[in-house]
Amino acid sequence: MKVLMLNGSSNQEGCTYTALTEVAKVLETEGIEYEIFQIGAGPIRDCIGCKQCTVDGCMFTDDGVNEFIKKAKEADGFVFGTPVYYAHPSGRILSFLDRVFYSSGAAFRFKPAAVIASARRAGTTASLDALQKYFGISQMPTVGSTYWNMVHGNKAEDVLKDEEGIQTMHNIGYNLAWMLKCFEAGKKCGIELPKSQKKVATNFIRN
């Protein structure tokens, strides 16, 4: 079993990365493999709704979206990490995930996932709420912890001083590992994935 993590910060070894590594430490002790995928500091396109998605994901290939999708298809669970900018997730992780889920949402179906947010002070709960909405429309079980999934600090070493935040990251790891093992046990017992009705894309306008 493998968990794919996404560092939604342009700082590859900053606060968000530090929080992800704390989750990873627990996954490792639980026998779960992991990989941290870096969005990096390069430009990332918004989804423009062109409806030209391919079997590999997005038609645009000048960033890491399709590479992430390829890995996501093989992953069993996910952790998405974001810094907090003006009380919302980083713009780059939103642009990235919009294209990922619009083109390849099926790769995430029925796979458990957690969001973590890193902030100097505030805006974390709004950021968690925004990113967890991807899970709700993709039939993904959401992984919680013993507090909201957040850490605080202005630099990586500050995060390590946030004792409750670090404990929260560790418990995300334990909860995610438990869910993955339960799902695996269910498969071995012949429990099939739930059936879904064909999607009806409607709106609220009526004649």
Side-chain angles (χ1 to χ4, degrees):
M1 289 178 285
K2 185 172 182 178
V3 170
L4 181 60
M5 299 183 174
L6 179 64
N7 180 11
S9 172
S10 56
N11 186 348
Q12 295 196 14
E13 295 187 358
C15 296
T16 306
Y17 174 82
T18 301
L20 289 171
T21 59
E22 291 299 317
V23 179
K25 288 176 183 177
V26 172
L27 292 175
E28 207 165 31
T29 65
E30 292 291 310
I32 309 292
E33 294 182 48
Y34 73 90
E35 177 182 351
I36 298 178
F37 188 97
Q38 300 279 4
I39 279 184
I44 296 174
R45 295 173 178 269
D46 286 331
C47 180
I48 58 173
C50 65
K51 303 189 189 307
Q52 299 299 310
C53 307
T54 72
V55 294
D56 296 319
C58 183
M59 71 168 293
F60 296 107
T61 59
D62 52 356
D63 54 31
V65 165
N66 288 349
E67 182 185 356
F68 182 80
I69 289 169
K70 183 178 180 180
K71 293 176 182 292
K73 289 176 179 177
E74 303 300 321
D76 301 292
F78 302 92
V79 182
F80 299 156
T82 184
V84 175
Y85 299 153
Y86 295 97
H88 61 72
S90 72
R92 56 198 309 99
I93 197 172
L94 291 173
S95 294
F96 192 92
L97 290 178
D98 277 356
R99 286 168 54 215
V100 164
F101 278 89
Y102 190 83
S103 67
S104 305
F108 299 85
R109 195 173 297 151
F110 306 121
K111 297 178 181 180
V115 171
I116 64 170
S118 167
R120 181 188 66 81
R121 191 170 181 87
T124 46
T125 52
S127 297
L128 293 173
D129 179 61
L131 290 184
Q132 286 174 170
K133 286 184 168 66
Y134 290 105
F135 304 164
I137 65 170
S138 302
Q139 297 176 288
M140 300 172 70
T142 301
V143 181
S145 188
T146 43
Y147 194 70
W148 290 289
N149 297 0
M150 63 181 72
V151 294
H152 290 88
N154 203 34
K155 48 187 183 294
E157 49 266 39
D158 292 341
V159 170
L160 296 174
K161 297 174 185 175
D162 178 7
E163 293 185 22
E164 187 172 13
I166 295 300
Q167 181 187 60
T168 300
M169 297 302 107
H170 290 170
N171 288 333
I172 291 170
Y174 288 122
N175 291 344
L176 178 52
W178 174 77
M179 290 176 75
L180 289 172
K181 291 174 183 178
C182 287
F183 288 5
E184 187 67 19
K187 289 178 187 177
K188 291 178 180 178
C189 291
I191 299 175
E192 298 180 358
L193 293 174
K195 296 179 181 179
S196 301
Q197 294 184 354
K198 186 177 180 180
K199 182 176 180 180
V200 177
T202 185
N203 56 43
F204 301 110
I205 300 172
R206 297 290 181 269
N207 293 329

